[in-house]
Amino acid sequence: MSETLLNYPPALVAKPRIPFRPHPPADFEEAGLFHAQVESLVLKFLLSHGIASGRRTADELGLPFGPFPEFLRRLKNQQIVSYTDSASANDFLYSLTDVGRARAQLYFNECSYVGTAPVPFDDYVKSVAAQSITFEHPKKEDLRRAFADLLISEEMFEVLGPAINSGRGLFLYGYPGNGKTSIAERITRCFGSTIWIPKVIEASGQLIKLFDLSAHEPVEAHRSSLLRADDFDHRWIEIRRPTLIAGGELRMEDLEIHFDPVTKVSEAPLQLKSNNGTLLIDDFGRQRIAPIELLNRWTVPLEKRYDFLSLYNGKQIRVPFDQLILFSTNLEPRQLVDESFMRRIPYKIFAQDPDEATFRELFAMFAAKLGFLEVDEAALDHLINRHYRKADRPFRACQPRDLLLQVRNYCVYNDLPLEMKPHYFDFAANNYFTVM
């Protein structure tokens, strides 16, 4: 090994990594499932669907078909299921017997979940570690690609880049309307990679639903078929690194595992769903809970990168806390948190007001997006002189888009050509700045 490499800090020495991909299990034992778990899922599925082939049952559970013929044969010998008809590829159609329906109902009363078989909690923990956000080190070109639809200054890129590379957390603060939320929403794009997550996790006998279509974007729909390619474990799904946003509606209970006493199924909290991605606390300081409560809740996770959650039976489990935490606020961070917590959020980035040159660039950018053929500089000069300079009003990054939308709506309503005129801007500004 060269002397140069030996003198490098350990964190900067590149280590080759094998991309994580969940391999298909050969049998139920390798999948980390007990006989009773598989039986419960199979019987509840047949109770819900009436008749199904062994292959379709395996498909619904996300498990390989290999061990199913023998497993179902044993259930038939126990008079729990019966053959209804033969199916293709040496398969059969199965239905429940009276004994099977009674047993399925008992399983259903214990837990009404029907669907993909769960992944053991330990396997999930290992997957988060293997796909950690700290392994991702986006460069300038990655940031430019992620923010291509926004007008970001070079100064902002120089500050954002190291902050995103830290994989820890940052405050985005400044006046409203300067793009803090837009910036935060695009940060995950810098990583430019996908991750695998289990659809459902099993922890100490409790089922926790992790995959959420409202929070996760699947890379593609893996369609099941008779001759599907079993090159991955179908209990998992490949998604884009997630970005979850929690605004003023955030409650303390949203950060805990939610157990439904009716279905006996639990829902993963926000920080679990955002693992290996980004979690944005938007409009920080306006939540239903006091800022100090939220920050105290996350003191240990931000420092140690793990959290403790309670299951419905009272047992605590240690879970990964592996995401880039972003706090977006219109308030000065020192008004919200004390010095000890600020130390745990090493980057504080101010989203400043655009200068006039940038303000004009924003008009040109949004004019093109909204269908204006050109920017009328005389009309824009009128807007800036009358409604900004004379009113001593600061520029905000959101205003070119908002004002042009009002001009556009005015033109559409009055069946006028889509163009900029001084009195159009007067109309828009008088509406927009009525109480500002």
Side-chain angles (χ1 to χ4, degrees):
M1 186 178 293
S2 69
E3 185 177 29
T4 304
L5 186 59
L6 286 171
N7 290 332
Y8 251 86
L12 298 182
V13 177
K15 296 181 179 179
R17 284 194 305 120
I18 300 174
F20 176 83
R21 188 178 182 85
H23 297 293
D27 50 36
F28 301 147
E29 183 179 0
E30 192 174 315
L33 299 170
F34 299 111
H35 177 95
Q37 288 176 299
V38 180
E39 181 179 298
S40 170
L41 291 168
V42 168
L43 298 192
K44 285 188 291 185
F45 172 71
L46 289 175
L47 182 67
S48 301
H49 291 76
I51 299 173
S53 67
R55 197 172 294 275
R56 185 190 171 194
T57 304
D59 230 25
E60 291 291 328
L61 270 57
L63 295 171
F65 177 64
F68 269 88
E70 176 61 21
F71 181 82
L72 290 168
R73 186 186 65 79
R74 291 181 181 179
L75 291 182
K76 180 182 179 299
N77 290 342
Q78 297 171 34
Q79 297 184 339
I80 294 173
V81 302
S82 62
Y83 294 157
T84 302
D85 200 351
S86 60
S88 58
N90 298 317
D91 195 7
F92 294 92
L93 295 177
Y94 296 89
S95 62
L96 294 173
T97 63
D98 290 340
V99 173
R101 276 190 290 273
R103 184 175 294 191
Q105 192 59 57
L106 288 175
Y107 282 132
F108 195 84
N109 292 339
E110 290 176 358
C111 175
S112 63
Y113 173 76
V114 179
T116 306
V119 170
F121 176 71
D122 287 345
D123 290 353
Y124 168 65
V125 172
K126 292 174 184 175
S127 76
V128 174
Q131 303 174 101
S132 174
I133 199 78
T134 60
F135 293 143
E136 303 296 320
H137 300 292
K139 302 294 187 289
K140 283 186 180 180
E141 57 270 22
D142 298 311
L143 266 68
R144 293 188 191 283
R145 170 180 47 77
F147 292 95
D149 59 336
L150 294 182
L151 191 60
I152 303 293
S153 68
E154 289 299 320
E155 293 79 5
M156 178 63 85
F157 274 132
E158 290 300 318
V159 179
L160 270 177
I164 295 171
N165 267 273
S166 73
R168 295 186 64 188
L170 59 91
F171 265 105
L172 280 170
Y173 69 101
Y175 295 110
N178 278 342
K180 297 183 298 298
T181 303
S182 297
I183 290 171
E185 288 174 342
R186 287 159 177 79
I187 282 178
T188 314
R189 297 183 190 174
C190 299
F191 302 118
S193 61
T194 62
I195 61 169
W196 290 86
I197 64 169
K199 295 176 183 177
V200 181
I201 303 168
E202 187 274 324
S204 297
Q206 181 172 341
L207 296 184
I208 304 172
K209 292 172 66 177
L210 180 64
F211 175 64
D212 181 352
L213 266 176
S214 67
H216 301 133
E217 181 186 353
V219 173
E220 61 179 352
H222 295 291
R223 296 181 180 178
S224 298
S225 67
L226 184 63
L227 299 174
R228 72 181 187 185
D230 283 322
D231 62 339
F232 69 96
D233 187 336
H234 286 252
R235 295 175 298 165
W236 299 68
I237 185 167
E238 188 178 11
I239 63 168
R240 303 194 186 281
R241 285 192 183 267
T243 298
L244 269 72
I245 302 175
E249 75 284 355
L250 181 66
R251 306 165 300 169
M252 191 64 80
E253 50 262 43
D254 295 326
L255 307 179
E256 304 296 336
I257 294 173
H258 174 69
F259 176 71
D260 187 330
V262 176
T263 64
K264 309 294 195 302
V265 181
S266 296
E267 185 81 17
L270 289 174
Q271 65 271 36
L272 221 60
K273 291 181 180 180
S274 65
N275 267 332
N276 298 138
T278 301
L279 176 57
L280 168 62
I281 308 300
D282 199 16
D283 205 12
F284 181 58
R286 309 291 188 191
Q287 280 70 35
R288 298 183 184 182
I289 53 179
I292 192 65
E293 288 184 63
L294 176 61
L295 299 177
N296 284 340
R297 171 68 179 77
W298 279 347
T299 297
V300 172
L302 283 169
E303 187 80 21
K304 305 292 187 182
R305 301 192 74 84
Y306 58 76
D307 193 11
F308 288 97
L309 297 175
S310 296
L311 302 175
Y312 77 96
N313 58 10
K315 181 177 179 179
Q316 275 202 330
I317 55 174
R318 188 172 115 168
V319 301
F321 193 85
D322 190 280
Q323 61 277 101
L324 186 63
I325 297 286
L326 309 175
F327 296 91
S328 172
T329 180
N330 299 331
L331 307 173
E332 167 66 41
R334 283 177 293 187
Q335 298 175 9
L336 299 170
V337 296
D338 58 23
E339 184 178 344
S340 64
F341 193 86
M342 290 298 288
R343 177 175 56 83
R344 293 178 170 86
I345 306 292
Y347 291 92
K348 297 88 179 174
I349 298 176
F350 180 59
Q352 61 186 359
D353 294 335
D355 57 21
E356 184 174 331
T358 303
F359 193 69
R360 289 176 179 272
E361 281 188 66
L362 288 167
F363 260 97
M365 183 175 78
F366 285 112
K369 289 183 177 181
L370 293 174
F372 290 85
L373 295 178
E374 61 180 358
V375 175
D376 188 322
E377 294 296 340
L380 186 53
D381 289 342
H382 170 82
L383 171 70
I384 291 174
N385 288 329
R386 179 170 181 177
H387 297 285
Y388 285 90
R389 289 192 182 123
K390 287 185 179 180
D392 194 24
R393 180 175 285 126
F395 298 123
R396 297 284 191 260
C398 66
Q399 290 167 355
R401 175 201 62 199
D402 296 345
L403 291 169
L404 284 173
L405 278 171
Q406 292 222 17
V407 170
R408 184 179 184 277
N409 293 336
Y410 177 85
C411 292
V412 170
Y413 175 73
N414 289 286
D415 199 22
L416 296 168
L418 196 58
E419 56 187 352
M420 302 177 196
K421 290 186 176 181
H423 66 281
Y424 292 177
F425 276 134
D426 288 341
F427 172 83
N430 288 335
N431 282 330
Y432 191 73
F433 294 122
T434 297
V435 293
M436 296 169 68

